[in-house]
Amino acid sequence: MTEERPDVVVLREGTEGLSTEPYAEELRERLPEYEVRRARTPSEERDLIEGARVATGVRIDEELLSHATDLELFACAFAGTEHLPTEALRERGIALTNAGGIHAPGLAEGVLGNMLVFARRLHEGWRRKENREWRHFQSGELTGSTVTIVGLGSIGEALTQRLEGMEVETIGVRYSPEKGGPTDEVIGFDEAALHDALARTDYLVIACPLTDTTRGLIGEDEFATLPPEAVLINTARGPIVETDALVGAIQTNSIRGAALDVTDPEPLPPDHVLWGFENVLITPHTGGHTPKHWDRLAEIVAGNVAALDSGGDLENLVFAPE
């Protein structure tokens, strides 16, 4: 463990407006027996990664990998890893982990907040405030609603936990329904079961990864099945919902509204029709932002650094070398 050959290298690029310097500090606190260094420039990244066992950051490219002679693990600071040179990592025998789960509390709270906005029609209250209108309006209740959650990973589990005590029924959709789950009912992705659930749904929450199965999962047929009072909340990936079908459903009052933290395309162009609907709430893919981002990620990565020495299992493992 020398100054020239750190054990762990934190790459320079931050995320969500956060510098990686606090991340490096969090790792140093958790790994006092290891040398943790943060690279500030491209040349420092190239120098520091030589001989390092672990590198962590938002991304890594093949050029930087060519300098990594002893790298055993790249710990991605994102949950998604599709932007990484995974084949190059595999060829070099480097394990890959991700940041899955660290955003779950914030995302779940955001979904719950959007549900309450629609249940109590708070967005209508905000609109009337902007117009200085002291005029009453009707609202509803979340109590007694049915919430269908597509995806029972960390986000789906966190949301289900927060819905306990809210007096709602929950339906979970997952690839292996036989495994059960935290929701009152668990189903698979087969068409009949999905549409049966949609027909009973008041709030449809998308919290699953984008895969061949989920791409375009919610389209015209699905919007036709949803009750007119249903609300769509997408906190996962834009292409899971067919945008044209969503626009059509909003224009024809086929659903009550939507809350979108992700869109397709993304970023949503300034002239896109979705911006103009009062019953479509849009946030710019910020649902997972949390001041505890680095703290939670450092906890995972520090445990994995120790696991490399002990031969233990790596948390959030995407793939291990053959």
Side-chain angles (χ1 to χ4, degrees):
M1 298 183 291
T2 67
E3 192 76 353
E4 293 77 20
R5 295 172 65 86
D7 299 288
V8 181
V9 175
V10 178
L11 304 182
R12 72 186 193 280
E13 184 179 358
T15 181
E16 298 179 355
L18 302 172
S19 165
T20 56
E21 180 55 44
Y23 179 32
E25 286 299 326
E26 294 283 356
L27 287 170
R28 290 186 190 108
E29 289 182 12
R30 290 167 172 78
L31 297 168
E33 298 179 359
Y34 295 83
E35 181 70 24
V36 178
R37 298 281 304 281
R38 174 181 178 260
R40 299 170 300 165
T41 66
S43 62
E44 284 189 3
E45 287 182 340
R46 291 190 293 269
D47 291 342
L48 292 175
I49 206 168
E50 289 188 21
R53 298 177 61 198
V54 177
T56 181
V58 170
R59 69 188 80 249
I60 191 169
D61 58 29
E62 294 192 47
E63 193 279 330
L64 185 56
L65 278 176
S66 69
H67 295 269
T69 56
D70 298 319
L71 199 64
E72 298 176 35
L73 169 66
F74 179 69
C76 183
F78 282 163
T81 58
E82 60 275 1
H83 64 291
L84 298 176
T86 52
E87 287 306 310
L89 289 166
R90 288 180 186 274
E91 290 172 3
R92 289 170 170 78
I94 300 169
L96 174 64
T97 59
N98 67 12
I102 69 171
H103 299 107
L107 286 166
E109 289 173 7
V111 170
L112 181 57
N114 279 314
M115 287 182 188
L116 291 170
V117 166
F118 274 99
R120 302 301 300 164
R121 292 189 67 202
L122 298 179
H123 52 312
E124 176 60 19
W126 299 332
R127 188 189 69 79
R128 296 191 187 200
K129 176 180 179 295
E130 288 179 355
N131 295 330
R132 299 177 182 237
E133 296 180 48
W134 186 268
R135 188 162 55 88
H136 289 199
F137 59 91
Q138 298 297 316
S139 59
E141 293 183 353
L142 184 60
T143 301
S145 300
T146 296
V147 180
T148 296
I149 306 168
V150 182
L152 291 181
S154 57
I155 300 168
E157 288 187 358
L159 176 59
T160 304
Q161 181 184 36
R162 283 155 179 77
L163 288 172
E164 292 178 3
M166 301 295 288
E167 299 182 32
V168 300
E169 290 294 317
T170 54
I171 303 172
V173 185
R174 67 184 307 176
Y175 287 106
S176 304
E178 67 276 3
K179 293 181 179 179
T183 50
D184 297 315
E185 182 181 342
V186 181
I187 65 170
F189 281 94
D190 62 282
E191 183 179 3
L194 180 61
H195 277 262
D196 177 71
L198 293 178
R200 298 179 278 138
T201 295
D202 297 296
Y203 295 90
L204 174 61
V205 180
I206 310 299
C208 58
L210 177 62
T211 65
D212 290 341
T213 299
T214 63
R215 184 180 295 275
L217 180 71
I218 307 301
E220 286 187 10
D221 285 347
E222 289 70 32
F223 283 118
T225 299
L226 283 168
E229 287 301 303
V231 173
L232 169 76
I233 302 174
N234 190 358
T235 189
R237 289 291 184 268
I240 296 173
V241 177
E242 293 182 0
T243 301
D244 289 346
L246 171 60
V247 170
I250 295 293
Q251 289 175 327
T252 59
N253 293 319
S254 295
I255 60 173
R256 179 157 43 119
L260 310 173
D261 190 49
V262 292
T263 59
D264 183 25
E266 188 175 307
L268 193 66
D271 60 349
H272 200 282
V273 66
L274 282 173
W275 289 112
F277 297 123
E278 291 183 354
N279 58 339
V280 176
L281 310 181
I282 299 174
T283 47
H285 208 149
T286 57
H289 177 76
T290 170
K292 297 183 179 180
H293 181 105
W294 293 136
D295 179 70
R296 291 188 178 122
L297 181 58
E299 193 69 24
I300 295 170
V301 174
N304 284 341
V305 171
L308 289 176
D309 284 338
S310 67
D313 295 332
L314 297 179
E315 186 177 353
N316 281 15
L317 182 66
V318 178
F319 62 74
E322 295 294 335

